[in-house]
């Protein structure tokens, strides 16, 4: 009977083992897992800490006994593969409970050892309570520390997926959280302007951000207080530290066996997941694969690819000609009420290639605006020009954001174009979507750009534009224009444009803006047909003002926000029954602002106004409106059950 040994019993390893048994009944399968648990839900660990997943046993998807009973797979937990003898086809194993070593022989060996958290040798790291998160025992340690040490403040180093999930879950446990990040944005796989919406959501939920500030050292001072000391010197007093700055592939076993290793420490495999030794396969976080779009080597640590690669290995061992086509990096993360999701290439990545691309931004609602609870999705679609082939997409928004990214991921997989997005027939009913789904909308807008029906300009073109014989035309309402616009812009609302055409100079390049791009599009079409040179601001002023907020502005808001948050909560509790409530949820621009202005006009004396909205852009509008109007004081701005709420008091 042929023997297969699998090293690592979680995502990739457990998948390989189970599929292999489904394909080959007469084969001996042994899984070596150095940890206590096999096939556990590592993706659920932050939610266990946050007490969303209440019971640890819910994280244990299968026990070794279940693997044996159902699949006759021998899972050896607490057993570490120490070395590989490729000549003799044996693995040396150490039982971590008994400390005894033994040897197993194999016909095929599968490596799925995963990755380990990066822990740089920071000065003082041993003097402070620092945690990383990879395993169930890690999550138990963090959970117990939060509970037993009465943690009030946590510092999370790293604003990646795990850092963001930990921020939300610790907040959920009542802990104050600060994220310290080396880059000028959280979530490195997406572009900065989309990450700014994540920054906004974090701040609105009371999470502080210290961006562009790499951590330098830690300190425990004489009165037993712990400090994180970043490069800027702005030290942070904290009760615990979560280090989430990324992972490195677990490659020691493979390296010592002289298998080929890539420049970033990944095990190199071919399309069939074979290493440089044809009897040894490798899958998951530890391997270097090809990017599906560029065909360049890469390594992206995600559960989906690890599972799929495991299935491919089982197929190949069973004699099937299955191949891994490359990774797309489809990912999603929940950041409080925001779903942030991406697939394919970001603009940052594309800038390093020769690919000619264009991008569009849209902000459609996640479902029909008239059905309660609609929330916008800010979506950036990047495509090749002139072919329209889709290269990448990223979005931040309400429920259903990830569904749109998944649809586009499927189109990318089939090498589709923006014209395919236009044609997709997708499900629709008011609680779920719109007759023209956001995916179709992305296709319509991108196709309009390629066909020349809607020439566009971008938020980062502003300096160039100002020097280009330009006339910046804001086609929003006078009220919207008044609370904030691009410097030098002239206001003619789209409703008046036809009758005020003589105010638009014919000898200038016209750069249009509106709030999200739609009224700008209508105006662009009108002016093009009247013979003007026109471009519309993609994503509108909403994207512009969010994208250009500087790190200093974000940091300033954050630096003070710990105190502001406390003050706000105090103020909120003092606002009792004496208010009128207005629900502007589901309205997209300029709906919430118009509702605010109208409600304030009609507000009886001595009453306060409490207004709910789901458009995150309302935060900036309401702040600007309050600043501009002496009679209006913003009493509170924050989140209640996912809805943005504020008390402007006239
Ligand atoms: C907190 C957290 C949240 C995550 N959330 C998501 C998410 O939401 N979505 C997503 O796509 N991905 C997520 N991931 C990433 C995902 O879990 C990994 O990409 C995936 O588990 C990788 O599978 P793998 O088989 O390569 O490694 P793992 O699943 O990590 O399994 C590797 C196993 O190998 C064992 N091992 C290593 N060396 C040896 C040895 N020498 N001998 C015996 N055993 C060994 C390890 O103990 C480990 O259990 C998350 C990861 C973490 C830690």
């Amino acid at each position: 009977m042929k023997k297969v040994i699998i090293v690592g019993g979680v995502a990739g390893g457990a998948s390989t083992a189970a599929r292999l048994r489904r394909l080959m009944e007469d084969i001996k399968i042994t899984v070596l897992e150095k940890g206590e648990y096999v096939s556990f839900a590592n993706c659920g660990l932050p939610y266990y800490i946050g007490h969303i997943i209440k019971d640890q046993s819910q994280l244990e998807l299968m026990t070794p006994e279940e693997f044996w009973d159902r699949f006759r797979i021998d899972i050896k937990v607490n057993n570490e593969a120490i070395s590989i003898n490729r000549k003799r086809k044996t693995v040396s194993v150490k039982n971590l409970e008994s400390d005894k070593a033994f040897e197993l022989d194999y016909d095929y060996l599968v490596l799925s050892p995963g990755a380990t958290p990066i822990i740089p040798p920071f000065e003082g790291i041993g003097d402070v309570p620092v945690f990383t998160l990879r395993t169930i025992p890690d999550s138990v340690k963090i959970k117990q520390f939060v509970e037993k040490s009465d943690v009030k403040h946590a510092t999370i180093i790293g604003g990646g997926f795990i850092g963001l999930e930990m921020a939300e879950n610790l907040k959920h446990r009542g802990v104050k959280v600060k994220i310290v990040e080396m880059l000028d944005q959280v979530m490195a796989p997406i572009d900065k302007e989309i990450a700014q919406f994540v920054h906004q959501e974090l701040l609105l939920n009371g999470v502080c951000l210290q961006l562009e500030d790499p951590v330098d050292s830690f300190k425990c001072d004489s009165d037993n207080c712990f400090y994180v000391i970043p490069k800027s010197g702005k030290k942070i007093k904290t009760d615990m530290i979560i280090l989430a700055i990324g992972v490195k592939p677990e490659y020691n076993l493979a390296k010592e066996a002289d298998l080929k290793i890539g420049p970033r420490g990944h095990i190199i495999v071919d399309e069939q997941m074979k290493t440089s030794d044809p009897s040894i396969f490798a899958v998951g976080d530890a391997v270097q694969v090809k990017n599906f779009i560029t065909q360049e080597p890469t390594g992206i640590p995600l559960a989906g690819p690890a599972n799929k690669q495991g299935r491919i290995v089982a197929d190949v061992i069973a004699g099937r000609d299955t191949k891994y086509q490359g990774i797309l990096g489809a990912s999603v993360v929940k950041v409080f009420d925001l779903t942030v999701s991406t697939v394919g290439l970001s603009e940052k990545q594309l800038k390093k290639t020769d690919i000619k691309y264009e991008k569009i931004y849209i902000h459609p609602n996640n479902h029909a605006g008239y059905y309660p609870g609609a929330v916008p999705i800010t979506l950036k679609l990047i495509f090749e020009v002139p072919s329209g082939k889709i290269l990448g997409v990223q979005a931040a928004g309400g429920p259903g954001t990830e569904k749109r990214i998944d649809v586009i991921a499927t189109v990318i997989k089939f090498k589709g174009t923006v014209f395919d997005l236009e044609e997709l027939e997708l499900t629709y009913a008011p609680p779920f979507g719109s007759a023209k789904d956001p995916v179709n909308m992305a296709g319509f807008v991108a196709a309009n750009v390629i066909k020349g029906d809607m020439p566009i300009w971008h938020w980062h073109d502003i300096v160039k534009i100002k020097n280009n014989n330009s006339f910046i035309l804001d086609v929003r309402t006078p009220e919207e224009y008044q609370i904030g616009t691009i410097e030098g812009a002239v206001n003619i609302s789209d409703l008046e444009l036809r009758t005020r055409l003589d105010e638009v100079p014919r000898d200038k390049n016209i750069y249009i803006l509106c709030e999200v791009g739609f009224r700008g599009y209508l105006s662009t079409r009108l002016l093009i047909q009247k013979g003007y040179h026109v471009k519309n601001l993609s994503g509108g002023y909403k994207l512009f003002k969010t994208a250009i907020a500087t790190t200093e502005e974000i940091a300033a808001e954050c630096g003070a926000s710990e105190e502001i948050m406390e003050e706000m909560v105090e103020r909120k509790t003092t606002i009792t029954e004496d208010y009128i409530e207005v629900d502007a949820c589901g309205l997209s621009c300029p709906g919430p602002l118009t509702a605010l202005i109208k409600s304030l006009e009609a507000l009886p004396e001595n009453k306060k106004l409490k207004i709910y909205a789901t458009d995150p852009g309302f935060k900036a509008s309401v702040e600007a409106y309050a600043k501009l109007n002496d009679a209006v004081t913003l009493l509170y701005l924050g989140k209640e059950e996912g809805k943005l709420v504020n008390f402007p008091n006239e």
Side-chain angles (χ1 to χ4, degrees):
M1 192 187 274
K2 292 242 188 243
K3 292 176 189 164
V4 176
I5 297 178
I6 298 169
V7 176
V10 191
S15 271
T16 310
R19 175 140 176 100
L20 200 48
R21 175 57 77 228
R22 294 195 294 273
L23 298 178
M24 299 182 83
E25 194 52 35
D26 297 321
I27 192 167
K28 185 171 176 356
I29 307 169
T30 308
V31 176
L32 301 170
E33 170 51 60
K34 69 178 175 183
E36 265 174 80
Y37 301 93
V38 69
S39 191
F40 66 91
N42 27 19
C43 308
L45 299 177
Y47 300 96
Y48 173 60
I49 294 166
H51 210 52
I52 306 285
I53 297 171
K54 303 257 176 333
D55 193 344
Q56 186 191 308
S57 66
Q58 290 173 279
L59 298 169
E60 297 162 34
L61 305 178
M62 288 269 280
T63 62
E65 294 71 33
E66 285 166 335
F67 265 104
W68 181 254
D69 292 346
R70 173 152 292 148
F71 297 112
R72 289 292 183 274
I73 291 170
D74 180 13
I75 305 256
K76 295 184 188 307
V77 290
N78 293 313
N79 278 279
E80 181 173 3
I82 299 297
S83 62
I84 303 165
N85 187 323
R86 286 169 50 193
K87 244 193 190 151
R88 289 179 29 233
K89 289 194 165 186
T90 59
V91 177
S92 300
V93 187
K94 185 173 168 191
N95 182 309
L96 300 174
E97 283 173 318
S98 65
D99 229 16
K100 284 197 179 129
F102 59 97
E103 223 169 55
L104 293 174
D105 60 312
Y106 64 82
D107 294 289
Y108 295 109
L109 175 64
V110 183
L111 303 177
S112 185
T116 43
I118 296 169
I119 310 178
F122 289 121
E123 189 191 323
I125 195 164
D127 305 333
V128 292
V130 175
F131 300 85
T132 55
L133 182 61
R134 184 81 198 173
T135 62
I136 291 183
D138 291 342
S139 66
V140 172
K141 266 195 239 162
I142 296 174
K143 200 169 182 201
Q144 285 177 350
F145 188 81
V146 170
E147 284 157 12
K148 294 201 175 134
S149 309
D150 190 25
V151 169
K152 299 259 186 311
H153 185 281
T155 303
I156 295 174
I157 303 173
F161 293 91
I162 295 176
L164 294 175
E165 288 178 347
M166 282 308 300
E168 176 176 346
N169 280 287
L170 286 173
K171 247 342 215 143
H172 194 246
R173 300 293 311 252
V175 176
K176 285 184 186 170
V177 176
K178 180 167 230 166
I179 297 177
V180 186
E181 167 58 59
M182 172 178 89
L183 302 175
D184 61 354
Q185 67 167 90
V186 299
M187 274 208 71
I190 62 175
D191 291 317
K192 165 114 187 257
E193 69 277 22
I194 302 297
Q196 295 277 62
F197 290 87
V198 186
H199 299 155
Q200 198 174 62
E201 181 70 9
L202 288 165
L203 292 170
L204 271 171
N205 283 282
V207 173
C208 284
L209 287 172
Q210 201 156 319
L211 298 175
E212 282 188 289
D213 206 1
V215 166
D216 197 36
S217 59
F218 301 104
K219 198 175 164 208
C220 170
D221 74 5
S222 48
D223 54 358
N224 226 13
C225 290
F226 305 122
Y227 292 93
V228 176
I229 305 169
K231 284 254 151 51
S232 68
K234 283 184 213 152
K235 63 180 188 175
I236 304 151
K237 190 175 169 197
T238 197
D239 300 327
M240 77 182 293
I241 295 141
I242 308 279
L243 198 56
I245 56 172
V247 292
K248 56 174 194 276
E250 184 70 76
Y251 70 93
N252 286 339
L253 201 57
K255 192 172 177 220
E256 277 163 27
D258 232 3
L259 297 175
K260 261 196 190 157
I261 304 292
R264 287 168 54 217
H266 297 92
I267 307 168
I268 294 183
V269 289
D270 66 11
E271 287 173 318
Q272 295 199 307
M273 309 311 295
K274 272 185 198 143
T275 65
S276 46
D277 178 335
S279 306
I280 305 180
F281 295 80
V283 300
D285 289 359
V287 300
Q288 175 181 297
V289 287
K290 280 190 180 149
N291 180 293
F292 180 82
I293 299 172
T294 62
Q295 294 294 303
E296 292 295 321
T298 186
I300 307 179
L302 288 168
N307 277 275
K308 279 168 204 111
Q309 291 160 8
R311 284 172 61 86
I312 288 169
V313 169
D315 275 11
V316 174
I317 292 175
R320 299 185 179 193
D321 186 23
T322 317
K323 286 180 180 146
Y324 187 64
Q325 314 267 329
I327 196 162
L328 272 174
S331 60
V332 59
V333 63
K334 174 180 180 306
V335 184
F336 297 93
D337 304 308
L338 201 65
T339 305
V340 189
S341 186
T342 182
V343 66
L345 301 175
S346 64
E347 194 174 353
K348 276 183 286 201
Q349 284 173 300
L350 276 162
K351 278 185 179 156
K352 294 181 197 147
T353 71
D354 296 330
I355 302 172
K356 269 190 84 188
Y357 67 89
E358 179 55 285
K359 65 205 172 205
I360 55 104
Y361 303 90
I362 53 170
H363 312 270
N365 273 339
N366 62 343
H367 59 65
Y370 59 82
Y371 185 86
V375 186
I377 299 173
T378 293
L379 186 146
K380 173 180 183 180
L381 181 74
I382 315 175
F383 47 95
E384 192 180 56
V385 280
S387 72
K389 184 179 160 201
I390 302 166
L391 301 170
V393 60
Q394 41 196 280
T401 298
E402 76 296 345
K403 160 175 136 175
R404 277 56 188 226
I405 298 299
D406 284 340
V407 172
I408 298 177
T410 312
V411 177
I412 296 179
K413 176 80 179 136
F414 291 103
K415 302 196 165 73
T417 66
V418 301
F419 308 108
D420 294 313
L421 297 188
E422 286 188 284
E423 286 175 18
L424 285 182
E425 182 181 323
L426 301 168
T427 56
Y428 160 62
F432 304 105
S434 299
K436 287 181 213 147
D437 190 86
V439 170
N440 300 128
M441 289 304 302
F444 297 149
V445 174
N448 278 343
V449 171
I450 292 180
K451 289 178 198 155
D453 287 343
M454 187 183 68
I456 49 173
W457 63 287
H458 290 296
W459 58 273
H460 49 73
D461 295 332
I462 187 67
V463 177
K464 221 167 47 187
I465 276 164
K466 286 198 169 158
N467 298 328
N468 189 28
N469 185 31
S470 62
F471 180 80
I472 303 175
L473 176 61
D474 185 337
V475 296
R476 297 174 302 160
T477 62
E479 291 81 11
E480 289 174 280
Y481 173 78
Q482 194 204 4
I483 64 160
T485 188
I486 294 175
E487 198 194 325
V490 173
N491 181 225
I492 306 175
S493 123
D494 68 317
L495 296 177
E496 294 178 356
L497 193 55
R498 275 190 187 84
T499 52
R500 292 174 61 187
L501 270 185
D502 54 334
E503 294 172 47
V504 184
R506 289 202 167 266
D507 57 341
K508 297 217 164 188
N509 295 309
I510 314 299
Y511 293 96
I512 292 191
L513 72 125
C514 71
E515 187 66 14
V516 295
F518 178 64
R519 286 170 287 173
Y521 167 50
L522 301 181
S523 308
T524 302
R525 291 302 308 150
L526 167 65
L527 292 182
I528 283 180
Q529 292 178 66
K530 293 287 176 193
Y532 288 87
H533 290 283
V534 201
K535 286 186 176 182
N536 185 25
L537 174 61
S538 189
Y541 185 64
K542 175 173 172 172
L543 187 93
F544 181 92
K545 69 174 179 254
T546 310
I548 62 160
T550 62
T551 303
E552 288 73 31
E553 277 161 358
I554 294 167
E557 189 165 356
C558 173
S561 77
E562 270 157 307
E563 301 92 72
I564 290 174
M565 285 299 157
E566 271 167 31
E567 206 181 305
M568 286 293 198
V569 169
E570 227 165 78
R571 280 193 210 167
K572 190 184 156 200
T573 50
T574 61
I575 306 166
T576 49
E577 68 285 351
D578 213 14
Y579 59 81
I580 291 198
E581 204 170 288
V582 171
D583 187 359
C585 293
L587 295 181
S588 48
C589 74
L593 182 67
T594 311
L596 171 85
I597 296 170
K598 278 195 177 149
S599 312
L600 284 175
E601 278 164 11
L603 194 69
E605 232 175 281
N606 303 326
K607 284 268 183 206
K608 297 177 178 77
L609 178 73
K610 180 181 191 182
I611 182 159
Y612 289 99
T614 42
D615 185 342
F618 187 46
K619 173 184 180 281
S621 323
V622 81
E623 280 171 333
Y625 185 77
K627 242 185 223 162
L628 219 68
N629 291 278
D630 290 343
V632 177
T633 315
L634 187 57
L635 294 177
Y636 173 75
L637 180 64
K639 282 269 182 141
E640 264 180 28
E641 290 163 11
K643 290 180 275 186
L644 197 63
V645 52
N646 69 73
F647 278 103
N649 175 39
E650 202 166 35

